[in-house]
């Protein structure tokens, strides 16, 4: 963490007003009840630490996509109860994030109190990274702390401009996230394996191009493997039975060539599970990739030989980074490969043999489905930001917190 500022670099916080940019963008049901409190819970250690240091904590966040105007469906009032429960203390809600109501509330705040301000994205200036808006956000604020790693790929006003206007640092969650991703990809113990699955090659080109420069072994699975299989000359991989992208065949071939030149071993499926229909419990069988029948059955998972090959390759590795499921994990039994490899990686992690880092949208649900969500070294709940980090891009909301 030596590269980034932490709470330890902020000096005495006693009596100071600290703006915490959190990511409280939690999922809710139609009755505005929070259905997953993970993002709230994970920022609690930072809030508690700031309180214990005598700071007055003012929490800001976005929720949903209100497109620059007030919209009660996306009001942060809906999360107050869950935040209070997680903190075990009262939270004072202010119905704006800038302006007189906020100024008044901050003026009357006592040490050890917590304010939660209304959704930042009720103002279009937030997403534009507007400097004047950032000035308004930090008015009456002494110090800025960010725990919103999952928004760090956006140069929004509260993420970047506000951080520049005050002494600033990472919160503990941001620190944890940066440390884990650095261990996973920037400064890993080798050999390093990446598993990339999911649906389409076209959405993961930057990711693949960065990984072939950094990792020793790259497992390509899920729907995106179909384009690579076809580009390697495997027969009967077509648009009827797979997610092959014919316009990406040349790109896939170039990626494989570049990987070879970089000394990165690409591991493709050796067998696949094909199903008569695209639905749970559909009639299915496992076939060798050199024996895929031309009967229109969909390729929904990778087979036992591929699972065993991935495990053997992983045995030789010290670090694993993972994005994307190996098959259609939402439908049983096509979650088998994802579950087996995830459980094996969890076991190696528990035995201290590997560092395992995973993240990005569906990966979190896929690993939860495999019941390993607490058994990896780190699972990032950041979707886009995690992917951009894996793509090798600098995230503006992280870069601004450099020493
Ligand atoms: P992504 O958002 O690109 O990581 O893709 C995740 C999605 O890929 C999940 O919804 C999976 O069901 C889907 N997926 C994985 N393997 C396959 C496959 N063999 N065929 C179709 N979809 C797949």
């Amino acid at each position: 963490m030596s590269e980034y500022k932490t709470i330890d670099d902020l000096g005495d916080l006693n009596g100071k007003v600290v703006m915490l940019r959190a990511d409280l963008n939690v999922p809710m049901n139609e009755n505005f009840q929070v259905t997953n409190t993970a993002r709230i819970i994970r920022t609690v250690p930072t809030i508690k630490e700031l309180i214990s240091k005598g700071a007055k904590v003012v929490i800001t966040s976005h929720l949903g996509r209100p497109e620059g105007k007030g919209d009660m469906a996306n009001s942060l009032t809906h999360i107050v109860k869950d935040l209070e429960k997680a903190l075990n203390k009262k939270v004072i809600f202010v119905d704006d994030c800038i302006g007189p109501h906020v100024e008044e509330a901050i003026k009357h705040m006592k040490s050890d109190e917590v304010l939660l301000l209304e959704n930042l994205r009720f103002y279009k200036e937030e997403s534009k990274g507007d400097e004047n808006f950032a000035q308004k956000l930090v008015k009456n604020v002494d110090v800025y702390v960010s725990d919103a790693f999952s928004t760090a790929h956006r140069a929004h006003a509260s993420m970047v401009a506000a951080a520049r206007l005050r002494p600033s640092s990472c919160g503990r969650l941001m620190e944890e996230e940066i440390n884990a991703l650095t261990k996973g990809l920037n400064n890993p113990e080798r050999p390093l394996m990446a598993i990339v699955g999911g649906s389409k090659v076209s959405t993961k080109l930057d990711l693949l191009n960065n990984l072939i420069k950094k990792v020793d072994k790259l497992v390509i699975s899920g729907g995106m493997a179909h384009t690579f299989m076809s580009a390697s000359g495997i027969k009967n991989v077509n648009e009827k039975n797979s997610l092959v992208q014919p316009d990406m065949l040349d790109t896939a071939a170039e990626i494989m060539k570049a990987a070879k030149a970089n000394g990165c071993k690409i591991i493709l499926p050796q067998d696949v599970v094909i199903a008569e229909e695209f639905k749970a419990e559909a009639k299915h069988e496992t076939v060798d990739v050199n024996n895929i029948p031309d009967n229109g059955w969909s390729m929904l998972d990778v087979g036992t030989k591929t699972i065993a090959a991935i495990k053997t390759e992983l045995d030789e590795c010290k670090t694993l980074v993972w994005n994307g499921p190996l098959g259609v994990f939402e439908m049983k039994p096509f979650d088998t490969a994802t579950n087996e490899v995830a459980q094996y990686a969890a076991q190696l992690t528990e035995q201290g043999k590997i560092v395992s880092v995973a993240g990005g949208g569906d990966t979190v649900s896929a690993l939860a489905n495999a019941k390993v969500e607490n058994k990896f070294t780190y699972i990032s709940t950041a979707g886009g930001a995690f992917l951009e980090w894996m793509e090798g891009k600098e995230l503006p909301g992280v870069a601004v917190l450099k020493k």
Side-chain angles (χ1 to χ4, degrees):
M1 262 317 273
S2 54
E3 220 187 318
Y4 299 94
K5 294 175 282 185
T6 72
I7 294 176
D8 304 322
D9 298 307
L10 291 173
D12 184 8
L13 293 175
N14 196 18
K16 299 248 172 83
V17 178
V18 177
M19 169 179 157
L20 172 66
R21 178 33 166 124
D23 182 351
L24 303 178
N25 185 26
V26 287
M28 290 187 296
N29 63 19
E30 60 284 3
N31 300 319
F32 305 114
Q33 280 159 335
V34 178
T35 52
N36 182 337
T37 54
R39 283 185 167 162
I40 298 175
I41 307 238
R42 292 182 73 188
T43 199
V44 162
T46 303
I47 303 172
K48 286 198 168 157
E49 183 173 345
L50 293 171
I51 294 172
S52 76
K53 295 195 149 120
K56 302 173 186 176
V57 185
V58 179
I59 305 173
T60 60
S61 178
H62 69 285
L63 179 66
R65 293 178 186 267
E67 312 284 350
K69 51 181 188 301
D71 166 7
M72 278 319 283
N74 287 307
S75 171
L76 280 163
T77 41
H78 303 308
I79 71 132
V80 170
K81 257 197 292 153
D82 293 280
L83 182 59
E84 287 183 330
K85 193 167 155 214
L87 282 172
N88 195 19
K89 89 193 263 83
K90 189 164 169 45
V91 169
I92 303 161
F93 182 77
V94 186
D95 63 357
D96 209 337
C97 62
I98 54 170
H101 288 184
V102 180
E103 283 167 37
E104 206 45 33
I106 292 181
K107 205 161 83 193
H108 291 105
M109 231 178 148
K110 299 189 196 77
S111 266
D112 136 323
E113 274 186 347
V114 174
L115 288 192
L116 173 66
L117 307 187
E118 184 56 287
N119 195 339
L120 292 157
R121 291 195 191 160
F122 282 5
Y123 289 88
K124 60 182 182 323
E125 292 87 343
E126 162 65 358
S127 305
K128 291 185 174 155
D130 187 278
E131 178 86 31
N132 285 332
F133 179 68
Q135 290 277 9
K136 291 178 194 164
L137 281 175
V138 298
K139 194 175 175 195
N140 302 317
V141 164
D142 301 307
V143 175
Y144 170 97
V145 173
S146 176
D147 248 352
F149 178 84
S150 29
T151 322
H153 54 316
R154 314 255 182 238
H156 289 177
S158 66
M159 294 299 305
V160 177
R164 290 210 187 99
L165 294 169
R166 292 289 180 273
S168 61
S169 86
C170 301
R172 295 303 180 199
L173 173 60
M174 173 76 90
E175 190 182 332
E176 190 186 40
E177 193 99 33
I178 295 173
N179 277 338
L181 299 195
T182 303
K183 251 200 207 162
L185 209 54
N186 301 59
N187 194 13
E189 265 202 77
R190 289 181 183 275
L192 163 62
M193 173 191 273
I195 296 180
V196 181
S199 49
K200 298 216 158 163
V201 183
S202 50
T203 57
K204 295 201 178 164
L205 279 181
D206 288 345
L207 180 67
L208 293 168
N209 279 317
N210 186 44
L211 291 178
I212 55 171
K213 286 187 245 145
K214 296 216 167 125
V215 309
D216 305 298
K217 302 174 193 233
L218 174 60
V219 173
I220 300 180
S221 190
M224 59 186 300
H226 304 157
T227 305
F228 283 87
M229 287 158 63
S230 181
S232 330
I234 288 170
K235 301 272 180 316
N236 292 335
V237 179
N238 52 50
E239 285 170 283
K240 273 196 305 202
N241 68 357
S242 78
L243 290 183
V244 66
Q245 292 181 280
D247 55 336
M248 285 283 140
L249 290 173
D250 290 346
T251 310
E254 279 159 28
I255 290 174
M256 288 190 282
K257 202 168 141 205
K260 202 166 178 194
N262 287 331
C264 164
K265 180 172 180 186
I266 297 224
I267 296 142
L268 289 179
Q270 299 176 10
D271 54 354
V272 286
V273 180
I274 55 172
E276 193 173 16
E277 290 169 273
F278 192 92
K279 68 171 201 208
E281 310 297 349
K283 189 173 170 195
H284 60 276
E285 61 180 287
T286 303
V287 294
D288 199 275
V289 291
N290 295 317
N291 251 329
I292 299 173
D294 187 19
N295 60 359
W297 284 30
S298 304
M299 305 199 293
L300 298 188
D301 200 6
V302 293
T304 39
K305 263 192 354 195
T306 310
I307 297 171
I310 298 173
K311 287 183 183 174
T312 305
E313 296 284 355
L314 189 54
D315 279 335
E316 293 169 11
C317 290
K318 295 241 166 67
T319 307
L320 168 70
V321 285
W322 186 339
N323 172 261
L326 304 188
V328 185
F329 75 96
E330 299 94 334
M331 303 189 316
K332 288 198 181 312
F334 310 110
D335 57 349
T336 304
T338 306
N339 292 350
E340 283 203 19
V341 174
Q343 282 153 10
Y344 192 66
Q347 188 186 319
L348 294 179
T349 307
E350 282 178 335
Q351 291 166 353
K353 293 185 177 153
I354 62 166
V355 165
S356 53
V357 179
D362 274 331
T363 314
V364 182
S365 337
L367 297 185
N369 184 58
K371 306 210 169 16
V372 299
E373 66 267 56
N374 299 318
K375 296 183 179 165
F376 271 44
T377 312
Y378 196 76
I379 297 185
S380 169
T381 50
F386 180 85
L387 276 181
E388 289 199 20
W389 184 289
M390 275 184 88
E391 287 165 5
K393 295 182 181 149
E394 180 163 71
L395 312 184
V398 171
V400 75
L401 301 171
K402 273 193 186 145
K403 277 186 181 158

